[in-house]
Amino acid sequence: MTSVRLDVWSSDDFDDSRNRFVGNSFSEMDNLKRRHTTTTQTQGYEPVSFEPDIDYAKTQKPQRSPSTKFASHYLKQEFYFDVHPPLGKMIVALAGLIAGYDGYFDFTSGSKYPDNVNYVVMRIFLASFGAWMVPLAYFTAIELDFSQHAVFLVALMIPHTFASVVSFFWTRCCYSLLSRLFSVCVKWIGLFVTALVGLYTIEDLWDKFGDLSMPKLLYLQHWIARIICLIILPILIYMLSFVIHFAILTHSGPGDAQMSSLFQAGLIGNTFVENPIELAYGSKITIKNMGFGGGLLHSHVQAYPVGSEQQQVTCYHHNDVNNDWFVKKTREAPISDNENEVEFVHDKDTIRLLHAQTGRNLHSHQVASPVTKSQWEVSGYGNDTIGDLNDYWVVEVVDDMYTKTDRIRSLTTRMRFRHKHLGCYLRAANAILPQWGFKQVEVTCDKQNNPKDLHTYWNIERHWNDLLPSGGRAYYKSNFLNDFWHLNVAMYTTNNALVPDPDKEDILASTPGQWPLLKVGLRMCSWADDVVKFYLLGNPVVWWSGTASLIIFVFILLWYLARKQRGYKDFSPAQWTHFLFVGKVCAIGWLLHYLPFWIMGRVTYLHHYFPALYFSILMAAFVTDHLTSSYIAFGIDYPASELKGRKWFETWNIVD
């Protein structure tokens, strides 16, 4: 008896030949990249391999999955960060909840499933989504008005595409609103389906605009209906997925640092509320950029390979000791003899920021920044005793979210740092440094004084000072819209940082040019001799026929256009409209899901082709049906002489 086995895969399943972020204390970023460097994930599609018995995996090494790891966070209500929207992981968490999983098994490769992890129920639940692929593809073909033969061909090709199948999020064609809504909530690649729907909507409204018989009120109602259903409702559904996401993840977790300081302070278990309230000289702090997607002011021992070649200063999105800075007075300021005297920092004070780990001063000078050439470079320079005027920064308070004060308060005071000598402002605007900067965010000194630029706003996130009392627990509440936007910008920024490492060979990565012809497969786990191995390889018949059909359709279309121009009537108006409609849906759908990967800077893998593959399968069935049926006419009700162009061989006695 054959049963379906479902595994959710990621690069966590692979050995150490994977790409890594290089540098100091990059464990969280490294893990993030490892989770997203490859693979078929629950967010968009579920690989399903076939084995004699689903319970067979009990005796094997279970494959570690980021989706099950994220599901653990949901079940433990720990906040995490991922570059994809949350719906896919919430579905995996639902599978765990149904199966009675408590979230405390970490699915580490090499360990066996404990008795309290009902992986069979979890896999069956998730595999059911993949099973919906076939009926939904079947009904999609019906909606496209395929012939019965073509409908069955689509339904036959889909389950034979892989030893794994794609989940229902990619399977509904572009006219299914629910699929369009939820696909974007799983992965942003669903936006390509949205683009396809948008193009069709524009064409449809343009055709209706030319229909002079349509009442103006009815035409206006068409606009209103599409704005509500295709713009407003999708946005609300997308935002709802984050409302649920934030409502579940109420405890501090590994993804805290990606969010604003105020958001983190509201998480259960977070210690920010224990910060001393007001900032004093001698305090050790971390400084958070308040721009959307902003990180923590960071430095490390590596130097810029260009420009001043001084120590790099960046913004980093993960907790790290290299985020710590001491607040110091200027070298010319008098020093108190009383070590226990506390002097608070005020608005318009001039300070130095000394990096806690390397002892370098936060510094700027008239050297162009490595990425944003129009702004000055920010670096680490000198030490506590050696330096110059370029180490001095003026604190400018923007406002405080809870009170009016000229002192700097942890978490709630928004401030800017103006360079004392140059007059520029410390800024981090999500420009990404090259590989030598570990793909961290560039920090610059902006020559323009734009008081409304959030990327020049900073706040104190962590604060240590033995001379000051703990602030005590207070109620901090952040704004949902700010949190929503902040998280999405962070997702976008981090996703763009997932680029190939030129110094390492990645046997798992592939290029878009290899996908249509199936020139590559994908190792789904370790390839050691003593482990069960899984290899993702498409069905060549399905892949090649899909790719060939796209090319054949272009020639068929050109052929008919040439004949139409010469006055031949191969189709009735309705048939010609249907031919163009299906061709456009399949061809443009394939192009929208395939061409963008040519211009993406991030690392790409075979599974990125899956959505485009779906449209090529539709095209294969459509072209096959057209070539095998449309050239043979039954019940001809016009003169046989008009069939002369279809007599390819003399032995075809279609025409006398």
Side-chain angles (χ1 to χ4, degrees), residues 392-542:
Y392 296 165
W393 300 84
V394 178
V395 179
E396 295 184 357
V397 173
V398 177
D399 58 27
D400 191 276
M401 298 180 184
Y402 283 87
T403 187
K404 186 174 182 179
T405 178
D406 68 341
R407 293 185 179 181
I408 313 302
R409 296 168 64 92
S410 298
L411 300 176
T412 60
T413 297
R414 301 193 300 175
M415 57 187 170
R416 306 170 79 205
F417 294 101
R418 175 170 56 84
H419 194 268
K420 178 72 173 179
H421 179 60
L422 300 176
C424 54
Y425 285 83
L426 191 68
R427 187 173 191 263
N430 294 326
I432 304 299
L433 291 171
Q435 191 67 42
W436 51 255
F438 314 115
K439 296 300 177 180
Q440 295 177 11
V441 175
E442 179 190 43
V443 174
T444 64
C445 201
D446 189 0
K447 303 173 187 177
Q448 303 298 320
N449 179 13
N450 182 1
K452 296 186 181 299
D453 183 4
L454 291 178
H455 294 292
T456 63
Y457 287 21
W458 303 81
N459 69 268
I460 305 302
E461 182 166 283
R462 294 182 182 272
H463 182 192
W464 300 271
N465 192 319
D466 294 337
L467 301 178
L468 296 174
S470 171
R473 181 159 295 279
Y475 180 71
Y476 294 99
K477 185 174 178 61
S478 56
N479 180 275
F480 167 74
L481 291 179
N482 286 337
D483 295 337
F484 167 77
W485 189 252
H486 190 106
L487 179 55
N488 276 266
V489 173
M491 289 159 52
Y492 173 80
T493 303
T494 307
N495 190 65
N496 283 348
L498 299 175
V499 298
D501 186 345
D503 298 326
K504 292 187 177 182
E505 179 184 4
D506 187 358
I507 63 172
L508 306 173
S510 57
T511 62
Q514 296 174 308
W515 301 338
L517 296 180
L518 196 61
K519 291 184 176 180
V520 293
L522 190 64
R523 293 183 180 183
M524 303 299 291
C525 56
S526 170
W527 222 243
D529 292 340
D530 59 343
V531 300
V532 177
K533 292 170 281 293
F534 298 90
Y535 192 71
L536 182 68
L537 184 66
N539 186 320
V541 175
V542 174

Side-chain angles (χ1 to χ4, degrees), residues 27 153 204 239 241 246 249 266 294 307 339-340 411 425 435 446 495 544 594 598 617 628 640 646:
S27 58
L153 182 58
D204 182 55
M239 293 176 68
S241 69
F246 291 142
L249 305 179
E339 296 181 354
N340 293 323
L411 300 176
Y425 285 83
Q435 191 67 42
D446 189 0
N495 190 65
W544 294 341
Y594 176 64
W598 282 96
I617 289 174
T628 57
R646 300 191 181 187

Side-chain angles (χ1 to χ4, degrees), residues 583-594:
K584 286 186 291 187
V585 168
C586 298
I588 297 177
W590 181 83
L591 290 170
L592 286 174
H593 288 82
Y594 176 64

Side-chain angles (χ1 to χ4, degrees), residues 299-304 309-313 355 358 360 379-380:
S299 187
H300 39 243
V301 296
Q302 287 82 2
Y304 292 111
E309 298 185 359
Q310 293 176 4
Q311 184 169 297
Q312 296 176 18
V313 173
H355 191 240
T358 63
R360 301 296 186 186
S379 64

